[in-house]
PDB file of all heavy atoms in Angstrom:
ATOM      1  N   ALA A1064      -2.040  12.254   9.923  1.00 80.00           N
ATOM      2  CA  ALA A1064      -2.911  11.200   9.394  1.00 80.00           C
ATOM      3  C   ALA A1064      -2.748  11.088   7.882  1.00 80.00           C
ATOM      4  O   ALA A1064      -2.689   9.979   7.330  1.00 80.00           O
ATOM      5  CB  ALA A1064      -4.373  11.492   9.744  1.00 80.00           C
ATOM      6  N   PHE A1065      -2.648  12.215   7.234  1.00 80.00           N
ATOM      7  CA  PHE A1065      -2.500  12.221   5.788  1.00 80.00           C
ATOM      8  C   PHE A1065      -1.186  11.568   5.375  1.00 80.00           C
ATOM      9  O   PHE A1065      -1.159  10.741   4.459  1.00 80.00           O
ATOM     10  CB  PHE A1065      -2.580  13.659   5.273  1.00 80.00           C
ATOM     11  CG  PHE A1065      -2.683  13.733   3.796  1.00 80.00           C
ATOM     12  CD1 PHE A1065      -3.854  13.389   3.147  1.00 80.00           C
ATOM     13  CD2 PHE A1065      -1.601  14.118   3.044  1.00 80.00           C
ATOM     14  CE1 PHE A1065      -3.951  13.437   1.778  1.00 80.00           C
ATOM     15  CE2 PHE A1065      -1.689  14.169   1.675  1.00 80.00           C
ATOM     16  CZ  PHE A1065      -2.863  13.831   1.038  1.00 80.00           C
ATOM     17  N   ASP A1066      -0.103  11.906   6.038  1.00 82.00           N
ATOM     18  CA  ASP A1066       1.195  11.298   5.728  1.00 82.00           C
ATOM     19  C   ASP A1066       1.155   9.782   5.932  1.00 82.00           C
ATOM     20  O   ASP A1066       1.688   9.026   5.121  1.00 82.00           O
ATOM     21  CB  ASP A1066       2.299  11.910   6.587  1.00 82.00           C
ATOM     22  CG  ASP A1066       2.655  13.322   6.156  1.00 82.00           C
ATOM     23  OD1 ASP A1066       2.301  13.724   5.029  1.00 82.00           O
ATOM     24  OD2 ASP A1066       3.293  14.031   6.962  1.00 82.00           O
ATOM     25  N   GLU A1067       0.514   9.342   7.006  1.00 87.00           N
ATOM     26  CA  GLU A1067       0.402   7.906   7.275  1.00 87.00           C
ATOM     27  C   GLU A1067      -0.436   7.215   6.204  1.00 87.00           C
ATOM     28  O   GLU A1067      -0.093   6.133   5.725  1.00 87.00           O
ATOM     29  CB  GLU A1067      -0.208   7.680   8.660  1.00 87.00           C
ATOM     30  CG  GLU A1067      -0.459   6.230   8.999  1.00 87.00           C
ATOM     31  CD  GLU A1067       0.796   5.381   9.095  1.00 87.00           C
ATOM     32  OE1 GLU A1067       1.906   5.935   9.220  1.00 87.00           O
ATOM     33  OE2 GLU A1067       0.670   4.145   9.028  1.00 87.00           O
ATOM     34  N   ARG A1068      -1.537   7.824   5.801  1.00 86.00           N
ATOM     35  CA  ARG A1068      -2.392   7.237   4.765  1.00 86.00           C
ATOM     36  C   ARG A1068      -1.646   7.128   3.435  1.00 86.00           C
ATOM     37  O   ARG A1068      -1.747   6.125   2.733  1.00 86.00           O
ATOM     38  CB  ARG A1068      -3.672   8.053   4.558  1.00 86.00           C
ATOM     39  CG  ARG A1068      -4.549   8.185   5.774  1.00 86.00           C
ATOM     40  CD  ARG A1068      -5.163   6.862   6.175  1.00 86.00           C
ATOM     41  NE  ARG A1068      -6.111   7.048   7.237  1.00 86.00           N
ATOM     42  CZ  ARG A1068      -5.942   6.589   8.474  1.00 86.00           C
ATOM     43  NH1 ARG A1068      -4.875   5.929   8.803  1.00 86.00           N
ATOM     44  NH2 ARG A1068      -6.861   6.779   9.390  1.00 86.00           N
ATOM     45  N   LEU A1069      -0.903   8.167   3.090  1.00 83.00           N
ATOM     46  CA  LEU A1069      -0.132   8.140   1.850  1.00 83.00           C
ATOM     47  C   LEU A1069       0.917   7.028   1.885  1.00 83.00           C
ATOM     48  O   LEU A1069       1.112   6.316   0.895  1.00 83.00           O
ATOM     49  CB  LEU A1069       0.563   9.483   1.612  1.00 83.00           C
ATOM     50  CG  LEU A1069      -0.309  10.603   1.095  1.00 83.00           C
ATOM     51  CD1 LEU A1069       0.468  11.902   1.085  1.00 83.00           C
ATOM     52  CD2 LEU A1069      -0.820  10.281  -0.300  1.00 83.00           C
ATOM     53  N   ARG A1070       1.569   6.872   3.009  1.00 85.00           N
ATOM     54  CA  ARG A1070       2.585   5.834   3.153  1.00 85.00           C
ATOM     55  C   ARG A1070       1.964   4.452   2.958  1.00 85.00           C
ATOM     56  O   ARG A1070       2.501   3.609   2.245  1.00 85.00           O
ATOM     57  CB  ARG A1070       3.269   5.936   4.518  1.00 85.00           C
ATOM     58  CG  ARG A1070       4.428   4.969   4.716  1.00 85.00           C
ATOM     59  CD  ARG A1070       5.002   5.055   6.118  1.00 85.00           C
ATOM     60  NE  ARG A1070       4.065   4.635   7.151  1.00 85.00           N
ATOM     61  CZ  ARG A1070       3.728   3.351   7.386  1.00 85.00           C
ATOM     62  NH1 ARG A1070       4.239   2.392   6.676  1.00 85.00           N
ATOM     63  NH2 ARG A1070       2.872   3.057   8.349  1.00 85.00           N
ATOM     64  N   ARG A1071       0.809   4.241   3.564  1.00 88.00           N
ATOM     65  CA  ARG A1071       0.156   2.928   3.453  1.00 88.00           C
ATOM     66  C   ARG A1071      -0.338   2.642   2.037  1.00 88.00           C
ATOM     67  O   ARG A1071      -0.258   1.517   1.566  1.00 88.00           O
ATOM     68  CB  ARG A1071      -0.990   2.826   4.446  1.00 88.00           C
ATOM     69  CG  ARG A1071      -0.467   2.674   5.858  1.00 88.00           C
ATOM     70  CD  ARG A1071      -1.585   2.435   6.822  1.00 88.00           C
ATOM     71  NE  ARG A1071      -1.048   2.353   8.170  1.00 88.00           N
ATOM     72  CZ  ARG A1071      -1.613   1.662   9.128  1.00 88.00           C
ATOM     73  NH1 ARG A1071      -2.742   1.025   8.910  1.00 88.00           N
ATOM     74  NH2 ARG A1071      -1.071   1.633  10.323  1.00 88.00           N
ATOM     75  N   VAL A1072      -0.862   3.653   1.365  1.00 82.00           N
ATOM     76  CA  VAL A1072      -1.290   3.464  -0.028  1.00 82.00           C
ATOM     77  C   VAL A1072      -0.089   3.123  -0.892  1.00 82.00           C
ATOM     78  O   VAL A1072      -0.145   2.215  -1.727  1.00 82.00           O
ATOM     79  CB  VAL A1072      -2.025   4.714  -0.571  1.00 82.00           C
ATOM     80  CG1 VAL A1072      -2.159   4.662  -2.085  1.00 82.00           C
ATOM     81  CG2 VAL A1072      -3.391   4.837   0.073  1.00 82.00           C
ATOM     82  N   ASP A1073       1.007   3.823  -0.689  1.00 81.00           N
ATOM     83  CA  ASP A1073       2.216   3.562  -1.466  1.00 81.00           C
ATOM     84  C   ASP A1073       2.699   2.134  -1.246  1.00 81.00           C
ATOM     85  O   ASP A1073       3.014   1.415  -2.201  1.00 81.00           O
ATOM     86  CB  ASP A1073       3.301   4.570  -1.084  1.00 81.00           C
ATOM     87  CG  ASP A1073       4.502   4.473  -1.996  1.00 81.00           C
ATOM     88  OD1 ASP A1073       4.319   4.550  -3.232  1.00 81.00           O
ATOM     89  OD2 ASP A1073       5.629   4.313  -1.476  1.00 81.00           O
ATOM     90  N   GLN A1074       2.746   1.687  -0.002  1.00 85.00           N
ATOM     91  CA  GLN A1074       3.157   0.315   0.304  1.00 85.00           C
ATOM     92  C   GLN A1074       2.198  -0.695  -0.330  1.00 85.00           C
ATOM     93  O   GLN A1074       2.631  -1.695  -0.907  1.00 85.00           O
ATOM     94  CB  GLN A1074       3.200   0.082   1.814  1.00 85.00           C
ATOM     95  CG  GLN A1074       4.360   0.742   2.507  1.00 85.00           C
ATOM     96  CD  GLN A1074       4.296   0.538   4.022  1.00 85.00           C
ATOM     97  OE1 GLN A1074       3.248   0.220   4.579  1.00 85.00           O
ATOM     98  NE2 GLN A1074       5.419   0.738   4.678  1.00 85.00           N
ATOM     99  N   ALA A1075       0.910  -0.451  -0.207  1.00 83.00           N
ATOM    100  CA  ALA A1075      -0.080  -1.378  -0.746  1.00 83.00           C
ATOM    101  C   ALA A1075      -0.025  -1.423  -2.270  1.00 83.00           C
ATOM    102  O   ALA A1075      -0.193  -2.490  -2.874  1.00 83.00           O
ATOM    103  CB  ALA A1075      -1.480  -0.985  -0.271  1.00 83.00           C
ATOM    104  N   LEU A1076       0.232  -0.285  -2.900  1.00 79.00           N
ATOM    105  CA  LEU A1076       0.330  -0.242  -4.355  1.00 79.00           C
ATOM    106  C   LEU A1076       1.525  -1.059  -4.831  1.00 79.00           C
ATOM    107  O   LEU A1076       1.420  -1.851  -5.765  1.00 79.00           O
ATOM    108  CB  LEU A1076       0.437   1.208  -4.830  1.00 79.00           C
ATOM    109  CG  LEU A1076       0.334   1.469  -6.317  1.00 79.00           C
ATOM    110  CD1 LEU A1076      -0.949   0.893  -6.885  1.00 79.00           C
ATOM    111  CD2 LEU A1076       0.424   2.948  -6.596  1.00 79.00           C
ATOM    112  N   HIS A1077       2.663  -0.903  -4.154  1.00 79.00           N
ATOM    113  CA  HIS A1077       3.840  -1.689  -4.520  1.00 79.00           C
ATOM    114  C   HIS A1077       3.601  -3.182  -4.284  1.00 79.00           C
ATOM    115  O   HIS A1077       3.999  -4.018  -5.085  1.00 79.00           O
ATOM    116  CB  HIS A1077       5.070  -1.207  -3.745  1.00 79.00           C
ATOM    117  CG  HIS A1077       5.611   0.068  -4.276  1.00 79.00           C
ATOM    118  ND1 HIS A1077       5.146   1.294  -3.872  1.00 79.00           N
ATOM    119  CD2 HIS A1077       6.560   0.313  -5.208  1.00 79.00           C
ATOM    120  CE1 HIS A1077       5.789   2.232  -4.513  1.00 79.00           C
ATOM    121  NE2 HIS A1077       6.652   1.671  -5.339  1.00 79.00           N
ATOM    122  N   ALA A1078       2.954  -3.529  -3.180  1.00 82.00           N
ATOM    123  CA  ALA A1078       2.664  -4.933  -2.886  1.00 82.00           C
ATOM    124  C   ALA A1078       1.726  -5.525  -3.938  1.00 82.00           C
ATOM    125  O   ALA A1078       1.911  -6.671  -4.366  1.00 82.00           O
ATOM    126  CB  ALA A1078       2.050  -5.066  -1.495  1.00 82.00           C
ATOM    127  N   ALA A1079       0.729  -4.748  -4.375  1.00 76.00           N
ATOM    128  CA  ALA A1079      -0.212  -5.233  -5.384  1.00 76.00           C
ATOM    129  C   ALA A1079       0.470  -5.418  -6.738  1.00 76.00           C
ATOM    130  O   ALA A1079       0.100  -6.305  -7.505  1.00 76.00           O
ATOM    131  CB  ALA A1079      -1.393  -4.276  -5.512  1.00 76.00           C
ATOM    132  N   GLN A1080       1.465  -4.597  -7.024  1.00 74.00           N
ATOM    133  CA  GLN A1080       2.194  -4.746  -8.280  1.00 74.00           C
ATOM    134  C   GLN A1080       3.051  -6.006  -8.264  1.00 74.00           C
ATOM    135  O   GLN A1080       3.183  -6.680  -9.278  1.00 74.00           O
ATOM    136  CB  GLN A1080       3.064  -3.526  -8.539  1.00 74.00           C
ATOM    137  CG  GLN A1080       2.253  -2.299  -8.911  1.00 74.00           C
ATOM    138  CD  GLN A1080       3.082  -1.044  -8.986  1.00 74.00           C
ATOM    139  OE1 GLN A1080       4.123  -0.924  -8.339  1.00 74.00           O
ATOM    140  NE2 GLN A1080       2.628  -0.085  -9.767  1.00 74.00           N
ATOM    141  N   LYS A1081       3.615  -6.340  -7.102  1.00 78.00           N
ATOM    142  CA  LYS A1081       4.463  -7.528  -6.998  1.00 78.00           C
ATOM    143  C   LYS A1081       3.643  -8.807  -6.892  1.00 78.00           C
ATOM    144  O   LYS A1081       4.020  -9.846  -7.419  1.00 78.00           O
ATOM    145  CB  LYS A1081       5.373  -7.417  -5.777  1.00 78.00           C
ATOM    146  CG  LYS A1081       6.450  -6.369  -5.914  1.00 78.00           C
ATOM    147  CD  LYS A1081       7.294  -6.316  -4.666  1.00 78.00           C
ATOM    148  CE  LYS A1081       8.317  -5.205  -4.746  1.00 78.00           C
ATOM    149  NZ  LYS A1081       9.075  -5.066  -3.515  1.00 78.00           N
ATOM    150  N   ASP A1082       2.522  -8.734  -6.171  1.00 76.00           N
ATOM    151  CA  ASP A1082       1.725  -9.924  -5.877  1.00 76.00           C
ATOM    152  C   ASP A1082       0.252  -9.626  -6.165  1.00 76.00           C
ATOM    153  O   ASP A1082      -0.375  -8.877  -5.421  1.00 76.00           O
ATOM    154  CB  ASP A1082       1.907 -10.291  -4.400  1.00 76.00           C
ATOM    155  CG  ASP A1082       1.007 -11.435  -3.965  1.00 76.00           C
ATOM    156  OD1 ASP A1082       0.575 -12.219  -4.817  1.00 76.00           O
ATOM    157  OD2 ASP A1082       0.738 -11.527  -2.758  1.00 76.00           O
ATOM    158  N   PRO A1083      -0.301 -10.231  -7.210  1.00 67.00           N
ATOM    159  CA  PRO A1083      -1.688  -9.925  -7.573  1.00 67.00           C
ATOM    160  C   PRO A1083      -2.744 -10.682  -6.770  1.00 67.00           C
ATOM    161  O   PRO A1083      -3.833 -10.906  -7.248  1.00 67.00           O
ATOM    162  CB  PRO A1083      -1.731 -10.332  -9.042  1.00 67.00           C
ATOM    163  CG  PRO A1083      -0.751 -11.442  -9.144  1.00 67.00           C
ATOM    164  CD  PRO A1083       0.350 -11.096  -8.175  1.00 67.00           C
ATOM    165  N   SER A1084      -2.433 -11.040  -5.553  1.00 76.00           N
ATOM    166  CA  SER A1084      -3.365 -11.853  -4.760  1.00 76.00           C
ATOM    167  C   SER A1084      -4.570 -11.040  -4.293  1.00 76.00           C
ATOM    168  O   SER A1084      -4.569  -9.807  -4.301  1.00 76.00           O
ATOM    169  CB  SER A1084      -2.643 -12.418  -3.534  1.00 76.00           C
ATOM    170  OG  SER A1084      -2.337 -11.374  -2.634  1.00 76.00           O
ATOM    171  N   GLU A1085      -5.584 -11.780  -3.843  1.00 77.00           N
ATOM    172  CA  GLU A1085      -6.778 -11.132  -3.293  1.00 77.00           C
ATOM    173  C   GLU A1085      -6.425 -10.316  -2.056  1.00 77.00           C
ATOM    174  O   GLU A1085      -6.970  -9.242  -1.834  1.00 77.00           O
ATOM    175  CB  GLU A1085      -7.825 -12.181  -2.925  1.00 77.00           C
ATOM    176  CG  GLU A1085      -8.479 -12.817  -4.108  1.00 77.00           C
ATOM    177  CD  GLU A1085      -9.532 -13.814  -3.704  1.00 77.00           C
ATOM    178  OE1 GLU A1085     -10.165 -13.641  -2.643  1.00 77.00           O
ATOM    179  OE2 GLU A1085      -9.723 -14.773  -4.450  1.00 77.00           O
ATOM    180  N   ARG A1086      -5.509 -10.836  -1.252  1.00 84.00           N
ATOM    181  CA  ARG A1086      -5.119 -10.131  -0.027  1.00 84.00           C
ATOM    182  C   ARG A1086      -4.472  -8.780  -0.349  1.00 84.00           C
ATOM    183  O   ARG A1086      -4.781  -7.769   0.273  1.00 84.00           O
ATOM    184  CB  ARG A1086      -4.165 -10.991   0.784  1.00 84.00           C
ATOM    185  CG  ARG A1086      -3.798 -10.338   2.083  1.00 84.00           C
ATOM    186  CD  ARG A1086      -2.954 -11.228   2.946  1.00 84.00           C
ATOM    187  NE  ARG A1086      -2.689 -10.504   4.187  1.00 84.00           N
ATOM    188  CZ  ARG A1086      -1.725 -10.793   4.993  1.00 84.00           C
ATOM    189  NH1 ARG A1086      -0.941 -11.809   4.748  1.00 84.00           N
ATOM    190  NH2 ARG A1086      -1.536 -10.089   6.073  1.00 84.00           N
ATOM    191  N   ALA A1087      -3.581  -8.772  -1.342  1.00 81.00           N
ATOM    192  CA  ALA A1087      -2.933  -7.521  -1.732  1.00 81.00           C
ATOM    193  C   ALA A1087      -3.961  -6.536  -2.282  1.00 81.00           C
ATOM    194  O   ALA A1087      -3.908  -5.339  -1.998  1.00 81.00           O
ATOM    195  CB  ALA A1087      -1.844  -7.786  -2.763  1.00 81.00           C
TER     196      ALA A1087
END
């Protein structure tokens, strides 16, 4: 669970850096 959570945070952080939308 921890590995999966870390992976999702990493993906979301990169997405938020590329796209500053409300969804990101």
Side-chain angles (χ1 to χ4, degrees):
F1065 190 73
D1066 287 343
E1067 176 64 17
R1068 300 292 187 247
L1069 283 173
R1070 185 184 65 74
R1071 287 186 182 208
V1072 166
D1073 188 53
Q1074 287 177 341
L1076 189 55
H1077 284 86
Q1080 288 172 334
K1081 290 180 184 176
D1082 174 23
S1084 69
E1085 288 182 31
R1086 183 175 181 199

